[in-house]
Amino acid sequence: MANILLPPSWRIPESQVAPESAWLNRRELVKALGLGAIGAATFGASCATAIGGKNPLPSSYDWTFPPAQRNPRFPGGQPPAVEITAEDVAASYNNFYEFTTAKDKVWTLSDTLKVKPWTVEVSGECDKPTTFNFEDLLALMPLEERVYRFRCVEAWSMVVPWTGFPLKALLDRVVPNSKAKYVRLVSLGDSKMMPGVASQPWYPWPYHEGLTLEEANHELTLMAVGIYGHALPNQHGAPIRLVTPWKYGYKQLKSIVKIELVAKEPKTFWNTVAGDEYDFWGNVRPDIPHKRWSQATDRVIPTGERVKTPMYNGYAEQIGDMYKKIYAGK
Ligand SMILES: Nc1nc2c(c(=O)[nH]1)N[C@H]1C(S)=C(S)[C@@H](COP(=O)(O)O)O[C@H]1N2
Ligand SMILES: [Mo]
């Protein structure tokens, strides 16, 4: 887009991104102090606490739900055993451009998001378009916990326990018709509650994303309403966000207000901003480099350890043949 004034941090080479180097410095420091994984987690906590003297984990939430059982079929990635990222680390390293492009500041700036009341409109090519009160959705949907590996297009990763329900369960309620081939999802884009919306007018707000209906109905595709056993805090996309673990983070939009069944491939936020760098699919493919960096490895947050990125982020087996045609020859 010609009118982009400030490139987002992940459009400049990774080595030049300030938050990235900050993490590397922390890693060096952790190493120098002789601290192991536990030390790193604690260190993450003290870093976060240092911001304004507050903790990134709110002590209360707008919503509660009964404890959801962890589904052992989704253990977070490939063996060897994966370690779940410390909660305060995940809660203070976020991408949520509606607030800021500074990953370490999303948790403080997203204080202004008010999620009560909240509705989700599910409409378009379906027999029973419905606008759900979020509370009703919580009661209607089958909640479970799943541990998923999370991989950002910027080549960093975490492992996170989400609480949610399959998107399919919601789509089934509105009964998609035969014209429905794709799902278009839209985030809140309220400039009063979201300072980054007003201050970055060159972006095509509200944030919007899309999936094929087949992807949307895939059992891995989760609508998350919780994380670490409680409701989503604002920085993770309260009160409801998408989780597609075999796709890059940019597909997994936050604070969803609308889900629309459509006939044609919908435009997406990042595809509109830089179509040559962020395609509609956003699938984690270590063999297909980003235009400006390799996707072969990723940096585990917070230690900075470099690991090989697994095909489809470790979900190749479940994804099966869905992309045979798209990547023909690759
Ligand atoms: N509405 C909205 N959703 C979004 C984003 C965003 O800027 N706005 N960023 C995406 C990106 S790039 C990533 S990596 C993940 C980060 O999710 P997390 O902060 O919960 O780990 O959110 C995704 N969802
Ligand atoms: Mo991302």
Side-chain angles (χ1 to χ4, degrees):
M1 269 165 88
N3 58 341
I4 295 177
L5 305 178
L6 295 171
S9 60
W10 43 290
R11 300 200 64 214
I12 55 179
E14 220 189 307
S15 55
Q16 292 174 22
V17 179
E20 315 281 358
S21 43
W23 276 106
L24 289 182
N25 293 342
R26 284 172 207 176
R27 183 200 173 195
E28 292 311 311
L29 188 55
V30 168
K31 256 208 256 167
L33 292 170
L35 301 169
I38 295 167
T42 317
F43 190 72
S46 57
C47 278
T49 313
I51 306 168
K54 287 202 300 177
N55 191 289
L57 309 176
S59 53
S60 65
Y61 298 91
D62 286 323
W63 316 98
T64 52
F65 44 77
Q69 285 246 306
R70 182 171 293 183
N71 187 333
R73 290 181 50 235
F74 305 99
Q78 292 173 325
V82 280
E83 222 177 289
I84 293 179
T85 306
E87 182 175 2
D88 52 355
V89 168
S92 53
Y93 191 79
N94 307 96
N95 274 330
F96 203 167
Y97 277 27
E98 287 86 335
F99 295 96
T100 172
T101 54
K103 285 192 239 308
D104 59 347
K105 296 202 171 57
V106 173
W107 70 270
T108 38
L109 287 170
S110 58
D111 263 4
T112 49
L113 175 64
K114 296 277 169 289
V115 301
K116 221 170 187 172
W118 194 274
T119 56
V120 182
E121 176 188 327
V122 190
S123 57
E125 298 292 353
C126 62
D127 294 346
K128 294 182 179 168
T130 311
T131 297
F132 296 90
N133 280 316
F134 181 70
E135 273 140 320
D136 296 341
L137 260 191
L138 277 184
L140 275 175
M141 292 290 128
L143 294 183
E144 61 179 61
E145 188 180 67
R146 299 180 182 185
V147 181
Y148 278 163
R149 188 173 205 272
F150 182 93
R151 171 64 155 78
C152 174
V153 74
E154 300 164 303
W156 52 264
S157 68
M158 296 187 188
V159 177
V160 175
W162 301 104
T163 301
F165 56 86
L167 175 53
K168 184 179 189 304
L170 181 53
L171 296 179
D172 284 351
R173 290 234 155 215
V174 302
V175 193
N177 68 30
S178 61
K179 286 190 204 146
K181 297 283 183 278
Y182 292 87
V183 174
R184 179 175 181 269
L185 303 103
V186 186
S187 293
L188 183 73
D190 183 325
S191 57
K192 289 199 197 86
M193 291 195 258
M194 301 170 135
V197 170
S199 67
Q200 304 170 98
W202 52 89
Y203 283 127
W205 309 112
Y207 199 101
H208 49 289
E209 258 304 337
L211 298 169
T212 64
L213 188 58
E214 188 187 13
E215 292 176 325
N217 281 332
H218 195 282
E219 69 157 356
L220 283 175
T221 303
L222 206 65
M223 296 298 289
V225 297
I227 191 167
Y228 296 94
H230 50 66
L232 286 177
N234 288 352
Q235 65 265 42
H236 284 298
I240 183 163
R241 60 94 56 85
L242 180 71
V243 184
T244 47
W246 75 99
K247 291 180 178 285
Y248 292 122
Y250 71 86
K251 297 291 296 179
Q252 307 182 34
L253 81 173
K254 299 178 168 183
S255 305
I256 294 170
V257 293
K258 187 173 178 181
I259 301 173
E260 199 182 356
L261 289 143
V262 295
K264 297 215 173 85
E265 182 184 301
K267 286 198 153 65
T268 69
F269 183 90
W270 281 111
N271 196 230
T272 301
V273 172
D276 56 338
E277 303 198 3
Y278 308 103
D279 69 3
F280 173 79
W281 300 105
N283 290 323
V284 178
R285 294 273 308 214
D287 56 331
I288 303 178
H290 182 272
K291 219 175 140 194
R292 289 175 288 116
W293 60 82
S294 164
Q295 295 291 24
T297 63
D298 57 70
R299 239 167 356 94
V300 177
I301 303 294
T303 61
E305 183 195 354
R306 274 271 164 202
V307 297
K308 277 192 176 165
T309 298
M311 192 62 158
Y312 294 114
N313 204 28
Y315 299 93
E317 221 168 273
Q318 286 101 316
I319 290 311
D321 292 343
M322 237 184 347
Y323 303 113
K324 272 240 163 88
K325 276 190 208 144
I326 292 148
Y327 300 109
K330 277 187 180 164

